[in-house]
Amino acid sequence: MKIKKLKIFQKGFRAYYLLVISIVLLTIAIQSMTQYSLNKQRATALSVNLAGKQRMFSQQLLNELYSCRYHNCDYAEMRLILTKLYQMNGFLQHGNENLKIEPLDSPEILREFRRLEPHLEWLHSELKHFKKFKSVSFNDVKYRVDRFATIMDVIVGQFQTKADDDIKTMMIIELELAIFSIVIILFEIFFIVNPIINRIVNQKKKLSEIAWHQSQVFNSHMKNIGDLQYVLKVEKKPERQKEIYGFISEELEHLKKVSADMIKSLEKTEEEAKPHHIVIQKVENFLEKYNPLATEKVLIDDGTAHSVK
């Protein structure tokens, strides 16, 4: 004889599992969206910060050149500032894994970087050699630095606008996800939680009926059988004993009927058809159709088909 499918995989438990799984999935989705939003804002804020530093580096470069022309020259500092200025320009456009900067995907900002490129290349080529410091025109350097700073101001503003747009987009997505979560939770309350509560109430009612049968009818018949047994012990006439046996048989038949009524009360499932019953039935049918624990049907000793592992 084959064993039946485990109780935890039967239809009666699927609504509860659907409720738990949906809450877990909603929690994961909300947390994932929140983390993605925070990472996005961090990356955008970092880009704005680095773009702002580019303006500072360009001014420092001009100051260091002035010091090298008219005061003490610190070539190492000049070289370091120029390298930072040049490398950071590439990081802002093409991204950097160490700094967790993503490649720039905004055509408007990339167009401004292309305008910036000639001025940066000129500064890098003219100031990377120490011996050219005295021959390079200070006015030309100042012009390139001013143009660099002006264009970089536009880029910083575009980065800030992009950051504001990203924040607004993430806020809209999070709001939509929150509304969707509320709708799902309300759906589960009305179509899963409430039916489960109704089933519990109905089961309690059935148990009350059984308790009444047991305490009233069942005990009454048992008392009659006890009285008949006492009479049977003291009765000496065979005819009367046979009649008493008949009475006891009748009481036993009544007990069988009471027992059948008790079982019927437990198995009674007739309920008024409601809309959520149809929804739950469709969900359970869908889960049964695509159940990963699908099992084959076999016959057990009662002649009906049952699911087994």
Side-chain angles (χ1 to χ4, degrees):
M1 183 179 66
K2 300 290 185 178
I3 61 173
K4 295 183 179 180
K5 185 165 56 173
L6 289 178
K7 187 177 181 181
I8 60 175
F9 298 124
Q10 293 178 355
K11 284 187 177 181
F13 291 84
R14 289 178 183 169
Y16 173 76
Y17 293 145
L18 180 63
L19 171 64
V20 174
I21 292 173
S22 61
I23 292 176
V24 172
L25 291 178
L26 284 174
T27 303
I28 294 174
I30 293 173
Q31 289 298 321
S32 300
M33 183 59 65
T34 302
Q35 293 300 320
Y36 175 78
S37 176
L38 292 175
N39 292 333
K40 191 74 174 178
Q41 294 177 22
R42 183 205 65 80
T44 305
L46 179 60
S47 298
V48 173
N49 185 35
L50 294 178
K53 284 185 178 181
Q54 287 292 84
R55 296 178 299 180
M56 179 189 69
F57 287 148
S58 65
Q59 295 299 324
Q60 287 182 351
L61 185 67
L62 186 63
N63 293 336
E64 289 297 330
L65 178 62
Y66 184 85
S67 297
C68 288
R69 292 288 293 273
Y70 303 106
H71 302 287
N72 296 328
C73 182
D74 189 347
Y75 176 72
E77 183 68 18
M78 170 74 78
R79 184 66 179 174
L80 179 61
I81 294 173
L82 188 62
T83 300
K84 287 182 178 179
L85 192 68
Y86 193 79
Q87 287 182 345
M88 200 59 65
N89 186 73
F91 293 161
L92 289 172
Q93 296 181 71
H94 309 297
N96 182 272
E97 293 184 359
N98 295 330
L99 296 177
K100 296 182 179 180
I101 301 176
E102 297 181 356
L104 187 61
D105 57 357
S106 174
E108 294 80 7
I109 302 179
L110 288 174
R111 184 168 56 250
E112 294 299 323
F113 270 110
R114 286 194 292 269
R115 291 179 54 211
L116 185 72
E117 201 71 27
H119 304 291
L120 182 61
E121 290 293 340
W122 188 92
L123 291 171
H124 185 264
S125 62
E126 294 295 328
L127 300 179
K128 66 180 179 180
H129 298 296
F130 177 79
K131 295 181 179 180
K132 289 186 177 182
F133 285 174
K134 293 183 178 181
S135 61
V136 67
S137 172
F138 185 80
N139 290 332
D140 289 344
V141 174
K142 186 175 183 303
Y143 170 76
R144 299 288 183 174
V145 169
D146 289 342
R147 291 298 302 159
F148 180 91
T150 301
I151 298 174
M152 188 55 67
D153 284 337
V154 177
I155 292 176
V156 171
Q158 290 176 331
F159 268 122
Q160 290 176 340
T161 302
K162 183 176 181 297
D164 293 339
D165 293 339
D166 290 341
I167 291 175
K168 290 179 181 179
T169 302
M170 296 307 300
M171 289 177 63
I172 293 174
I173 294 175
E174 290 178 355
L175 180 60
E176 292 176 348
L177 184 60
I179 294 174
F180 177 73
S181 302
I182 293 174
V183 171
I184 292 296
I185 291 174
L186 291 177
F187 174 85
E188 292 173 346
I189 289 175
F190 286 108
F191 295 107
I192 295 180
V193 176
N194 282 349
I196 291 176
I197 295 175
N198 290 335
R199 290 177 183 176
I200 295 175
V201 172
N202 291 335
Q203 187 65 25
K204 181 179 179 181
K205 182 178 179 181
K206 294 174 184 178
L207 292 176
S208 298
E209 293 177 1
I210 294 174
W212 184 88
H213 279 286
Q214 184 176 10
S215 61
Q216 302 295 325
V217 183
F218 191 86
N219 288 342
S220 175
H221 290 294
M222 288 298 298
K223 183 178 182 300
N224 292 338
I225 292 176
D227 294 339
L228 290 172
Q229 285 180 333
Y230 175 77
V231 174
L232 184 63
K233 290 180 180 179
V234 299
E235 182 61 48
K236 302 301 182 180
K237 295 180 179 180
E239 297 81 4
R240 290 289 300 167
Q241 289 180 347
K242 185 177 180 181
E243 184 179 3
I244 294 172
Y245 279 127
F247 292 150
I248 293 176
S249 297
E250 291 179 1
E251 292 295 333
L252 290 176
E253 290 297 328
H254 287 306
L255 282 178
K256 289 181 181 180
K257 186 177 182 301
V258 171
S259 179
D261 291 339
M262 293 167 60
I263 296 175
K264 184 178 179 181
S265 179
L266 274 178
E267 295 178 348
K268 184 179 179 182
T269 57
E270 295 180 358
E271 296 181 0
E272 182 182 357
K274 298 178 181 179
H276 66 264
H277 292 161
I278 301 175
V279 175
I280 293 177
Q281 185 63 41
K282 289 183 178 180
V283 173
E284 290 183 343
N285 292 339
F286 175 82
L287 292 175
E288 173 124 6
K289 182 178 180 181
Y290 297 99
N291 185 12
L293 297 173
T295 56
E296 60 178 355
K297 302 289 185 178
V298 298
L299 288 174
I300 61 175
D301 57 352
D302 60 359
T304 58
H306 297 268
S307 298
V308 298
K309 290 186 175 180

